[in-house]
Amino acid sequence: MVINCPRGTADIFGDDISYRDFIIESAKKLFKLFNYSEIITPAFEHTEVFNRGIGQSTDIVKKEMYTFPDKKGRSLTLRPEGTAPVVRAIIEHKLYSKVPIKLFYVENMFRYERPQKGRMREFWQLGVEAAGVNSPLIDAEVIWLLALIFEELGFKNLKLLVNSVGCDDCRPPYINVFKKYIEPQVESLCPDCRERYNTNPLRIFDCKVRSCGTIIEDSPKIYSHLCSGCTQHFKAVTSLLKSLNISFAVKEDLVRGFDYYTRTIFEIISEDLESVQNALGGGGRYDRLIEQFGGPPVPSIGFAVGIDRTIVLMKQLNISCMQNEQENNVFVILLEQEFEGYGLEFLSYLRKHGIRCDISFEIKKIAAQIKWAEKNGFTHTAIIGGDEASSGIITVKRLKDFKQSQLNWKKDPQEINDIL
RNA sequence: GUGGGAAUAGCUCAGUUGGAUUAGAGCGCAGGAUUGUGGCUCCUGAGGCCGCGGGUUCGAAUCCCGUUUCUCACCCCA
C-alpha cells in the first residue's frame, strides 16, 4: 500500500488553507469590483483544445500534458492552463454574442514537470479572461487588476513587466529580420537555442546562457518593428498605466510560453523569491485565439496567478494572512460526565448566537482543559460543574486576562454578547 | 527529459573510520507535583520496519545497487 500522495501533488491543510483562503477571497473581492463573473470549466478537455490552443511548439504540449484515452478511446487531457478551456466555453455557449464578457476562474492545473519549490504537477491558478474588447483600455484595466491583487495581499516590492509581441502582421516579418541577424552566429548558440532558432526563435531571449545573451544583446527587438497599429496600441496601454499610477517597466525582450499571445504581454515577478520560479502571475492579449478555435474574431486578454507560488512567497516574506482580529469563541469544559446533556444545551445556545464553540469530549482535569483551550486558539472557556448545573449560572473565563464572569444564560440570553 | 544533494520520533535535527546492551536530543504530545482554574518550573511516560527493496559483511541507520519521494540547478512555466 502506497501511503504518500503522487509526485508533484500535495495535501493542503492547516496554515496553507488560511493563506489560500486569504488569497482567493481577496482576489474574488476585486473580481467583483471589476465586474467579473466566475466560470468553472471541467478538469479535463478534449486533447485537441490544448493542442490547437496553446501551440504545438510549446513545451507544455510537447511534453507536459497529462493525456489519456477514456474508455471509449477519446483522447482527453487534464487542463495545463486556464485560457484554452475558457475560450472553448465562450465558443460553445456563444458567450461572444454579448461581449464584452469578463470571466474569472480559480482552478487546479496539471503539468507533467520535474517538481520544484513553487512548481507542482497539480497546482492552483486564479485568473481572468476579458473577451471582446479591442481598446487598450481593457489591457490597462486587466494589468491594473493584476497589480491590485498583489497589493491587496500586502506585497510591496513586486515588479510588473510589460511588452508587446506584435500581431500577425508585424511579428512574422520581425522574426525574419531577427533570424537573419542571428543566422551568421547560429553555431555559437547553445544547443537549446539552436533548436529554438528553428521552432520558436523569440524564446532565445529567455536563455540564461551567457554566450547567447551577448549574441542577443544588440539584436533587433520587436519593440522597434511593431506595425503602426501595434505601436499605437502599446503606447496607449503604457500611457493609461501611467495615469493609473501603476509602476511598471517595459521589458523589450519579454516573451511568453504560449503561441496565442498577440500585442500586450505582461508578467509580475518577485526578486525576493529565493527560487528561480519568480513569476507570480502573467498574461497577455490573444486577439486571434477565439477565431482559431472556429469562433468569430473576438479580441481578448487575460492573466493567471499561481496560488501555490504566492503562498510560498508570502511565507518567505512573513506576510500575514490574518484578515481581521480573531473573533471570540468558547471552549466548554465539562467536569463530570453527568453534565453532558446540560453542556450540549449550552452549546446549542452558543451556536444559535453565532459563536464558534466546542466541548470537551473527555472528562479531564480542569487545568489540563484550560491549557488545551488556550493552545488551540480559544479566547474563552465556560466551565460546567456541579455549581453551574444547580444554579444555572455558568462561569465564562476570558483567557487573555484571566477575567471571569457569571453568565445567567437562561434568565438573560443576551448577556453573552456583553461578556464576550 | 538532463545533472547534483537529501530521506532517522508529530516537527527540527544528532548519531564518530561499519560494532557492543533498550537508536538519542530539543520542541510538541500525554500523565503527575493533595480536592474546580491556563502562560513559568520540576518529575514521569508514550511515540521509530533509520523512506522502500535487494546486496556486501560475523555484524549495516552507517558501505554498494535499485526504487520512491523531497530539494536544487537546467528545460519550461504560474
Side-chain angles (χ1 to χ4, degrees), chain A residues 127-138:
Chain A
V128 304
E129 311 293 346
V133 186
N134 206 15
S135 161
L137 197 53
I138 192 73

Side-chain angles (χ1 to χ4, degrees), chain A residues 86-119:
Chain A
V86 171
V87 162
R88 192 226 76 230
I90 287 174
I91 295 167
E92 182 170 341
H93 307 292
K94 298 193 164 52
L95 298 179
Y96 50 74
S97 59
K98 39 187 173 181
V99 290
I101 179 159
K102 294 164 124 183
L103 299 168
F104 80 87
Y105 59 85
V106 180
E107 288 177 338
N108 49 350
M109 308 292 168
F110 307 85
R111 290 182 202 168
Y112 191 88
E113 299 180 273
R114 280 285 271 271
Q116 266 175 255
K117 198 184 208 77
R119 192 174 75 183

Side-chain angles (χ1 to χ4, degrees), chain A residues 352-386:
Chain A
K352 275 182 188 157
H353 280 76
I355 296 161
R356 176 159 75 86
C357 55
D358 211 335
I359 193 167
S360 53
F361 290 96
E362 269 180 275
I363 305 304
K364 286 191 214 167
K365 277 182 55 172
I366 186 169
Q369 300 210 51
I370 292 176
K371 206 170 169 182
W372 188 90
E374 196 193 16
K375 281 182 181 167
N376 287 276
F378 285 90
T379 60
H380 293 71
T381 57
I383 297 157
I384 297 179

